[in-house]
Amino acid sequence: MKTEVFQGTLTAVTPIHHGGSETYGTIRPILTLPTLIRDEDGGFRVEDVPYIHGNAIRGYLRRLLMQDFLDLLDYELGSAKIFHFLFTGGLLESKDGGSVDMRLRTSLRKYLPPVSLLGSALGNQMLQGKLKVGLAEPVCSELRWRQEELYGDVSAYNLRARDYGTRLDSLREYKEDRAEGEQAHQMKYEFEVLIPGTVFLHEFILTDADAVERACFIRALNLWRERPYIGGKSSAGYGKLRLDYDYNPGDESEYIEYLQEKGESVCRFLDELTMKWK
């Protein structure tokens, strides 16, 4: 058994909107999780602290890595199911009594390093990924007691701000499109953000990865550094990060070499998957 931990920090360069599941009227709050807080007198209380969900980071890395994987192979997908298998984690279907297809599982790990790294589901097979992605937690006074390297003096409450946008009814934007006396409709909506300068502690844990899978993970980090965003509204300037992890970017080379050497075999395997799961 082999475990490798990659620790680092994420710093908000622009405001980050990482929305939760709830909406209050026209206001979309950021994701917060109830967290046990230790008081200075040694007591405890529970408060809502904003986090960046590990699943959001994992999903963004998956999309970057899978598109890069297909681009390096110069391969065009011809199956919606295989697209979802690669880009969204797949869909588990109950077939054949749930029997384990060891040949398929072995081939998936052999020919598709990004799938082996991140996991997915195909047919009745669930392939567990070898990468664990932690929650990104803000450096703040509430979490000072468990953040050993960085000590935040700012409360998590003060890291939060409210921004807004507007939507205009384009069908009635011009006077000639409106009835006499009718006004153009414009809606204001509000959403919470984490302010620029917010620092998050974060870690990846890589378990039992071979050399190609490890290099594939390094490739994913490099792709994220090229497009360092998270959360919503990145097209409008939100969610840009500065990434600081302790790793060697050149360690991606074994993954690139694998795809160059085995690219034809990988493409044939993708063709087989496409024929079976159209």
Side-chain angles (χ1 to χ4, degrees):
M1 296 179 65
K2 180 182 178 181
T3 302
E4 194 171 3
V5 180
F6 295 81
Q7 294 181 324
T9 60
L10 306 171
T11 304
V13 176
T14 62
I16 295 175
H17 174 63
H18 178 44
S21 60
E22 297 179 341
T23 300
Y24 302 109
T26 59
I27 301 174
R28 181 72 183 272
I30 56 175
L31 173 70
T32 60
L33 296 174
T35 304
L36 195 65
I37 306 299
R38 178 181 293 173
D39 294 323
E40 294 182 359
D41 60 4
F44 290 89
R45 69 184 189 279
V46 175
E47 288 191 10
D48 288 336
V49 174
Y51 291 85
I52 297 176
H53 209 293
N55 200 44
I57 297 173
R58 188 185 193 90
Y60 185 63
L61 290 185
R62 181 188 294 273
R63 293 188 292 275
L64 289 176
L65 189 57
M66 294 303 178
Q67 186 59 59
D68 177 70
F69 173 67
L70 296 176
D71 290 345
L72 290 172
L73 293 171
D74 193 22
Y75 187 88
E76 185 174 348
L77 286 176
S79 165
K81 285 189 176 181
I82 300 304
F83 174 87
H84 288 296
F85 167 65
L86 295 178
F87 283 85
T88 69
L91 178 64
L92 193 62
E93 300 173 326
S94 179
K95 293 181 179 179
D96 303 325
S99 60
V100 176
D101 187 339
M102 291 303 300
R103 180 181 176 276
L104 174 60
R105 295 171 71 87
T106 300
S107 297
L108 290 174
R109 290 205 184 276
K110 177 181 178 180
Y111 293 112
L112 307 180
V115 172
S116 186
L117 180 70
L118 295 169
S120 193
L122 184 64
N124 67 337
Q125 306 297 307
M126 176 69 79
L127 194 71
Q128 183 176 1
K130 296 187 177 183
L131 180 66
K132 301 184 185 302
V133 184
L135 293 169
E137 63 176 40
V139 176
C140 58
S141 58
E142 287 83 357
L143 301 179
R144 184 186 305 162
W145 64 277
R146 72 180 191 187
Q147 294 175 344
E148 298 178 357
E149 297 181 2
L150 295 174
Y151 297 89
D153 293 325
V154 179
S155 169
Y157 178 81
N158 293 324
L159 298 176
R160 301 166 64 173
R162 187 172 293 181
D163 204 343
Y164 74 94
T166 58
R167 292 195 181 101
L168 184 65
D169 184 355
S170 59
L171 291 177
R172 294 179 173 81
E173 182 176 359
Y174 301 102
K175 187 175 181 180
E176 57 268 24
D177 296 326
R178 304 194 303 268
E180 186 176 354
E182 182 182 8
Q183 299 297 314
H185 298 289
Q186 185 170 347
M187 184 187 76
K188 176 183 177 181
Y189 61 94
E190 295 181 282
F191 53 94
E192 284 190 323
V193 296
L194 290 162
I195 63 175
T198 301
V199 178
F200 300 86
L201 300 185
H202 185 248
E203 70 177 14
F204 294 98
I205 300 177
L206 199 57
T207 58
D208 302 321
D210 63 23
V212 173
E213 291 162 347
R214 184 186 188 278
C216 181
F217 167 66
I218 299 301
R219 178 67 173 178
L221 285 181
N222 288 341
L223 292 170
W224 196 15
R225 289 180 66 181
E226 292 176 9
R227 299 183 181 183
Y229 292 90
I230 201 67
K233 301 181 70 65
S234 60
S235 62
Y238 296 82
K240 188 173 184 179
L241 300 168
R242 186 178 73 241
L243 281 64
D244 294 293
Y245 292 93
D246 184 16
Y247 77 102
N248 179 10
D251 286 349
E252 69 171 27
S253 59
E254 194 154 348
Y255 170 66
I256 304 299
E257 291 169 3
Y258 171 82
L259 293 183
Q260 292 172 343
E261 295 173 3
K262 305 294 186 180
E264 291 185 4
S265 298
V266 174
C267 290
R268 284 197 297 269
F269 180 64
L270 287 170
D271 287 340
E272 292 176 10
L273 295 180
T274 298
M275 291 296 295
K276 186 173 182 179
W277 283 281
K278 293 183 179 181

